[in-house]
Amino acid sequence: MLVKILSQTILLYLLLFYAGIIQADLLPNFGANDEVLWKSGANLYIRLTEQDQSKQAVTPPNQHPAQLNAGQVTSALEGIEAWSGGGFFKKKKLNQLFSLQQARLLGQYISAGLAKARPDQDVVFVLARSEKKYRVIQNTGFTGGRAFYLDGKLHLIIGDYNHQGDRFKETVEKSHGIMETRQYFKHGRRAKPVGFKGSIVARAGVEPYMDGQKTRRDWITIDIEQAAAVYLAQRASQAAPQQTETSAAMQAEAARLARERREMRLEMARMRKEMQSSNTANSGQTLEQRLLTLQELRDKELISAEEYQQKREQILGEI
C-alpha cells in the first residue's frame, strides 16, 4: 500500500512539473532584460538583473556603473567568513563564505558586470561548492546572492547558502533519464532575509548592514580596498610569520591611505556638485560665503590654482 501511495505521489509530481504548474517556483527566473555574464550548466550563473524591491516606496538607485578592481574584489571576498549549521547536539561551523574558485569567479564577473550596470540593476549569482571527506566528494552545496554598489561600498546579500537543492526532484528526474535537475535558489532580498540561516562575520572592511535599528545577518557592506588589504596582510603573515608585524603594519597603512583617498574623492565630488549648483541657482549664498567656499576648496587642494582664480574672478565680476 505504501509503495502504491509513493508511486502515485511521484507520478503526480512529474505531471505537475511537466505541465508547468510548479515549474515557475522551481526554475531560475530570467527576466527579458537580464544579461548573462557567466553560466555553467542548468543552475550556475552570474547575471545582471533588475533591482528587487526594498522596504521603501522606491528602491534607492545604485551607484552604477562602478569601476572596481577585480583583484581587490576577489581578495575581499576570499577573506569573508560565515557561521552556519548548528542545532540540537550540533555546533555551528565557521567557513569561508566562498571557496577560492567562487571568489575568483565573482571577483571577475561582479567587477565586469557593475562596470556596465545601470543604477536600477543588480548582479545576482548562484555558485556551487563540493565538500570532500577522506578524498571523497560528499555533498554539493549551492549559494545564491545579490551584489550592488552603493554609498562607496559593495553590498552583498546572501540568499541560500550551501543549499543541497531539491533531492527528491533530482531522484525522480534521474529515474526518468534526466541527469541534470534544474533548481531554483534564492538570491537574497533587500526587503527581508530569505534562505540564509547563518551569520556573516564582521571584520575590518566588512560590516553588517543596519536595516533601520535591526542588524541584517545576511547583508554586508564591503570596503573593497580595506577588506582586500587586510586579507592579503593576514595571508602574508601566515606565509612568513617572522614578517607578521611589518607586513600587517604596511597593509594597514595602505588600507588607511586608500580609505582617505576614497573619502577625498567623495568630498571632491560633493563640493564640485555644490559649485555647479551655485553656477545655476546661486545656492542662496552671499558673495562672501561663495568666496569662503572657494577658498576652502583651494586649501584642501580639491581645485587647481587656475580653477580657483577663474572662479574667483567670476564671483567678483558679479558685484
Side-chain angles (χ1 to χ4, degrees), residues 88-121:
F88 197 62
F89 294 129
K90 289 184 179 180
K91 292 184 177 180
K92 286 188 175 182
K93 296 191 299 181
L94 181 63
N95 296 315
Q96 299 298 115
L97 183 63
F98 301 110
S99 68
L100 179 60
Q101 182 182 15
Q102 288 175 328
R104 287 176 175 173
L105 278 171
L106 289 173
Q108 177 181 351
Y109 290 104
I110 283 180
S111 57
L114 296 186
K116 57 182 178 180
R118 301 190 311 268
D120 61 347
Q121 286 183 310

Side-chain angles (χ1 to χ4, degrees), residues 210-225:
M210 294 299 298
D211 190 3
Q213 299 297 319
K214 186 177 180 181
T215 301
R216 288 280 295 265
R217 297 189 303 172
D218 62 325
W219 185 343
I220 54 174
T221 61
I222 307 172
D223 183 320
I224 295 297
E225 294 177 339

Side-chain angles (χ1 to χ4, degrees), residues 163-177:
H163 194 289
Q164 302 302 305
D166 189 337
R167 294 296 182 84
F168 177 72
K169 179 173 182 280
E170 188 175 300
T171 301
V172 171
E173 291 196 352
K174 280 186 178 180
S175 68
H176 287 75

Side-chain angles (χ1 to χ4, degrees), residues 105-209:
L105 278 171
L106 289 173
Q108 177 181 351
Y109 290 104
I110 283 180
S111 57
L114 296 186
K116 57 182 178 180
R118 301 190 311 268
D120 61 347
Q121 286 183 310
D122 297 334
V123 171
V124 294
F125 59 87
V126 173
L127 299 177
R129 171 165 57 184
S130 297
E131 296 182 354
K132 288 187 178 182
K133 268 189 181 178
Y134 309 111
R135 300 183 181 181
V136 177
I137 295 178
Q138 298 294 312
N139 291 309
T140 297
F142 296 86
T143 296
R146 177 182 304 274
F148 52 93
Y149 196 76
L150 182 64
D151 298 329
K153 293 184 179 181
L154 179 66
H155 288 238
L156 185 67
I157 309 176
I158 299 299
D160 283 321
Y161 177 63
N162 274 345
H163 194 289
Q164 302 302 305
D166 189 337
R167 294 296 182 84
F168 177 72
K169 179 173 182 280
E170 188 175 300
T171 301
V172 171
E173 291 196 352
K174 280 186 178 180
S175 68
H176 287 75
I178 302 174
M179 300 311 297
E180 186 173 16
T181 300
R182 298 187 68 185
Q183 307 266 7
Y184 173 80
F185 299 102
K186 301 179 180 69
H187 299 132
R189 295 174 56 189
R190 287 174 170 83
K192 64 179 181 179
V194 291
F196 185 52
K197 303 299 182 184
S199 59
I200 301 174
V201 179
R203 55 176 296 166
V206 178
E207 298 179 350
Y209 180 76

